[in-house]
Amino acid sequence: MNYMKMEIPARSENESFVRVVVAAFAARLDPTLEELNEVKTAVSEAVTNCIIHAYDNIEEGIIMITVSLDGNKLSLEIEDYGKGIMDIEQAREPLYTEKPELERAGMGFSIMENFMDELFVESVPGKGTRVTMIRTLGKKHTWDSH
Amino acid sequence: MQVKLIRRKNGLVVRLNGELDHHTATVFREVIDKELSKNLVHNLVVNFENLTFMDSSGIGAILGRYRQVKAKGGKMVFCGLSEHIKKIMQLGGLLTIIPVCSDENKALASLL
Ligand SMILES: Nc1ncnc2c1ncn2[C@@H]1O[C@H](COP(=O)(O)OP(=O)(O)OP(=O)(O)O)[C@@H](O)[C@H]1O
Ligand SMILES: [Mg+2]
């Protein structure tokens, strides 16, 4: 199993950087452009949530990102040590947002769920949150003739 | 991300270039709100042709502008949507409230 780990402070300018790094790592599975876009969007949602919610825009917070490859299965783990989620079920509901005043749509978890095969959310209030997402990539290769 | 504004007779054209995420949504908001507050135009055409990425932060930022435009009796129209951006907008429910045209001219014409 191949993997990579990165640690970044919770600064919004790092969002695009994480997307690029994750996409570059996933590229070895020869994903379609659509798959790559979906993975980038899912990781962007998880990292943005750490910045806005876990750390309430306090830039010193730390975000850990682990990406691993097992065959053509890509796993993403995004972990923060922020405020945690009290009610995970409610948080995962489409359109639920804690911060409508910041023009949040409440669509982050729905997008992660839609774009990845599996989504797990673990959280301890006051300690932090870990979001794990799995997606099998490059499925087309099993039947593409060339 | 770059936000280019072009004032046309029928409304304000907003051309987006780059990536619309939580970080760049601030620019998107500020630039458009500043122009809307002048009360010279009420209609908005948003051209996504050169937008290479968008996530839920984009949905929220667009909905925020949509509410303002609506409140002033204006209309909002999209054009230049890639398949990926279309999918994100569909998930966010934007395409049920905002019409989509294939290009900027058609979008402007639809505002007549
Ligand atoms: N890492 C996290 N730490 C603490 N709370 C979180 C975290 N991630 C999500 N949440 C909570 O879950 C809610 C739903 O998250 P989701 O990403 O679906 O929507 P949102 O971030 O509020 O809006 P959007 O993603 O559309 O901008 C958030 O409003 C927040 O209360
Ligand atoms: Mg979110």
Side-chain angles (χ1 to χ4, degrees):
Chain A
M1 193 178 78
N2 196 1
Y3 71 91
M4 73 108 191
K5 261 181 195 292
M6 66 193 287
E7 179 185 316
I8 51 156
R11 301 171 69 103
S12 66
E13 69 256 43
N14 285 332
E15 291 158 0
S16 60
F17 176 70
V18 174
R19 292 196 294 269
V20 170
V21 172
V22 169
F25 193 75
R28 60 192 65 189
L29 292 182
D30 212 1
T32 63
L33 195 60
E34 189 186 3
E35 287 174 326
L36 220 44
N37 272 329
E38 294 184 351
V39 167
K40 277 168 88 171
T41 313
V43 76
S44 193
E45 296 297 348
V47 170
T48 302
N49 279 351
C50 299
I51 297 172
I52 299 175
H53 303 297
Y55 296 121
D56 283 316
N57 291 303
I58 294 163
E59 297 185 333
E60 285 78 38
I62 284 171
I63 307 171
M64 293 288 303
I65 296 134
T66 310
V67 190
S68 48
L69 299 178
D70 186 2
N72 58 349
K73 206 166 87 178
L74 175 86
S75 304
L76 296 168
E77 209 181 276
I78 292 96
E79 200 172 351
D80 67 65
Y81 313 99
K83 72 174 181 205
I85 303 174
M86 289 282 197
D87 186 342
I88 295 177
E89 205 180 315
Q90 170 184 252
R92 290 180 65 157
E93 269 170 30
L95 304 180
Y96 172 79
T97 180
E98 181 194 312
K99 301 193 167 173
E101 75 283 0
L102 292 185
E103 292 190 344
R104 308 316 305 177
M107 288 306 295
F109 278 131
S110 303
I111 287 176
M112 291 184 243
E113 227 160 76
N114 248 279
F115 286 173
M116 302 296 284
D117 297 332
E118 287 172 84
L119 169 71
F120 305 99
V121 184
E122 301 157 85
S123 191
V124 180
K127 286 232 158 25
T129 302
R130 185 197 292 136
V131 170
T132 309
M133 302 184 270
I134 298 169
R135 168 98 191 241
T136 302
L137 295 175
K139 280 177 201 147
K140 282 197 170 148
H141 272 265
T142 51
W143 49 268
D144 247 356
S145 53
H146 65 271
Chain B
M1 187 187 62
Q2 278 115 37
V3 184
K4 194 174 173 197
L5 301 182
I6 304 134
R7 222 183 278 160
R8 300 286 297 270
K9 197 164 67 221
N10 301 357
L12 183 71
V13 175
V14 181
R15 287 190 193 146
L16 304 176
N17 198 311
E19 304 189 313
L20 179 53
D21 64 4
H22 163 236
H23 184 66
T24 59
T26 320
V27 182
F28 176 81
R29 274 190 201 103
E30 281 170 3
V31 171
I32 296 176
D33 289 3
K34 194 170 158 219
E35 189 65 21
L36 286 178
S37 68
K38 295 180 188 162
N39 276 317
L40 297 170
V41 282
H42 295 315
N43 297 332
L44 222 55
V45 170
V46 191
N47 186 345
F48 293 88
E49 207 179 315
N50 294 310
L51 194 76
T52 52
F53 178 85
M54 186 178 108
D55 60 16
S56 71
S57 298
I59 299 177
I62 291 165
L63 277 173
R65 308 293 77 63
Y66 174 75
R67 285 190 200 107
Q68 288 190 38
V69 165
K70 263 286 195 202
K72 293 181 180 181
K75 286 184 200 160
M76 193 165 176
V77 186
F78 290 161
C79 65
L81 300 188
S82 67
E83 282 309 308
H84 181 67
I85 286 173
K86 210 181 265 175
K87 201 187 278 177
I88 308 256
M89 290 191 172
Q90 241 148 16
L91 288 173
L94 289 179
L95 299 187
T96 57
I97 54 172
I98 299 163
V100 181
C101 293
S102 54
D103 62 52
E104 222 172 85
N105 288 332
K106 287 198 182 106
L108 278 165
S110 78
L111 292 171
L112 266 179

